[in-house]
């Protein structure tokens, strides 16, 4: 077994100032957890960028290695759950938050955080999806469980150029829905139409609804990855009996609300969590993403492959809000 491994290392170098670099770490310094993986691929998420720039609501103590996603081969498992050489997938729980994360060549985690890589997905594809794909899949599942059908009308997706949003656009389009994709990056309209978006809208389209108790019903259903007042502007503009799957808070954790859309139009607010979701529920959604919901060539449209050494640069890009699609970290590059 290798005695050292490369990892992204975030240190607080001055009060409130954080530095991100690639270091060699001793394997012996990993957490004392039973399952060790040799990571082949990871991915970058907005939560990783927050951790990398010192957000203590995400990560309490530094130095730290971010990375809430990882896929890799079992090196050892003292719990006896997995055999050496098996390929496992890990998303969420405490990985990359307060437990050394997947932006490293080795991780050590509790065995109950991992599941076997679903048949039908390569390791790389699983990280193009990652937490973002799992979350998008959960959002779509929520809408379908609430009764969403393609013939109902358009489905709005906010934050559509982000990881969750772009995968939600591709998945909904493949399932036959007409997707209205909302973004603050209209220069990426071709990217979104290439994923199957029916139309692309500027995020300012929703801004006039802020002063109204209700808006004209425009969309049958929605996936909101943004939160804040954007979420309630979406709720105000849903058609009777519609619903929104809400999974993000980049625009804030609070919004100004009233009960009118819920009572007068029967609107449903469908909360989505992918972090602490029981492993069997995660596994069920991953099986769909690898099977009936496999989005095939769209995965390559969404993904940009980078080396571990590039991770600090791309984390900074995400932190500034400049990310498009998904960034896959290939440890072999």
């Amino acid at each position: 077994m290798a005695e050292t491994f490369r990892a992204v290392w975030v240190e607080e170098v001055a009060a409130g100032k954080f530095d991100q670099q690639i270091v060699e770490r001793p394997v012996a310094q990993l957490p004392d957890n039973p399952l060790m993986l040799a990571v082949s691929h990871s991915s970058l998420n907005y939560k990783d960028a927050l951790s990398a720039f010192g957000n203590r609501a995400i990560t309490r103590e530094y130095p730290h290695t971010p990375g809430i996603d990882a896929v890799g081969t079992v090196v050892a498992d003292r719990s006896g759950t997995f055999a050496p050489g098996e390929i496992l997938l890990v998303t969420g729980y405490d990985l990359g938050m307060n437990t050394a994360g997947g932006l490293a060549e080795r991780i050590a985690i509790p065995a109950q955080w991992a599941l076997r890589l679903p048949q039908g997905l390569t390791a790389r594809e699983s990280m193009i999806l990652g937490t973002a794909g799992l979350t998008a899949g959960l959002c779509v599942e929520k809408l379908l469980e609430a009764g969403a059908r393609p013939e109902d009308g358009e489905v709005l997706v906010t934050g559509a150029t982000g990881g969750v949003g772009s995968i939600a656009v591709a998945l909904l389009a493949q399932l036959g829905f007409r997707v209205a994709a909302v973004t603050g990056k209209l220069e990426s309209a071709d990217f979104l139409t290439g994923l199957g978006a029916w139309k692309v809208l500027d995020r300012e389209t929703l801004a006039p609804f802020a002063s109204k108790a209700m808006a004209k019903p425009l969309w049958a259903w929605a996936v909101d990855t943004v939160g804040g007042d954007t979420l309630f502007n979406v709720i105000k503009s849903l058609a009777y009996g519609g619903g929104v799957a809400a999974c993000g808070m980049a625009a804030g954790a609070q919004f100004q609300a009233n009960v009118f859309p819920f009572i007068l139009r029967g609107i449903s607010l469908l909360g989505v969590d992918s972090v602490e979701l029981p492993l069997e529920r995660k596994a069920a959604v991953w099986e769909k993403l690898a099977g009936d919901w496999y989005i095939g060539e769209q995965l390559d449209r969404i993904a940009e492959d980078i080396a571990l050494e590039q991770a600090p640069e791309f984390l900074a890009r995400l932190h500034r809000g400049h990310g498009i699609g998904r960034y896959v970290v290939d440890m072999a590059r």
Side-chain angles (χ1 to χ4, degrees), residues 37-107:
L37 298 183
V39 177
S40 66
H41 298 79
S42 184
S43 66
L44 302 186
N45 299 274
Y46 184 60
K47 188 178 285 186
D48 301 325
L50 293 177
S51 175
F53 283 84
N55 187 314
R56 294 191 189 273
I58 305 298
T59 300
R60 292 188 296 271
E61 296 185 4
Y62 294 84
H64 176 66
T65 295
I68 62 173
D69 294 340
V71 63
T73 304
V74 176
V75 175
D77 181 14
R78 299 196 308 269
S79 76
T81 307
F82 301 107
E86 287 193 271
I87 301 176
L88 305 184
L89 172 63
V90 191
T91 62
Y93 303 117
D94 193 51
L95 182 70
M97 296 179 68
N98 296 293
T99 300
L103 294 177
E105 293 175 320
R106 294 286 187 278
I107 57 172

Side-chain angles (χ1 to χ4, degrees), residues 227-241:
D229 288 326
T230 295
L231 172 57
F232 200 63
N233 288 338
V234 171
I235 289 170
K236 292 176 186 180
S237 55
L238 288 173
Y240 190 92

Side-chain angles (χ1 to χ4, degrees), residues 257-279:
N258 64 69
V259 301
F260 294 145
F262 303 108
I263 294 175
L264 299 182
R265 288 190 188 155
I267 301 302
S268 298
L269 175 56
L270 308 167
V272 172
D273 166 63
S274 64
V275 179
E276 296 296 334
L277 192 71
L279 195 63

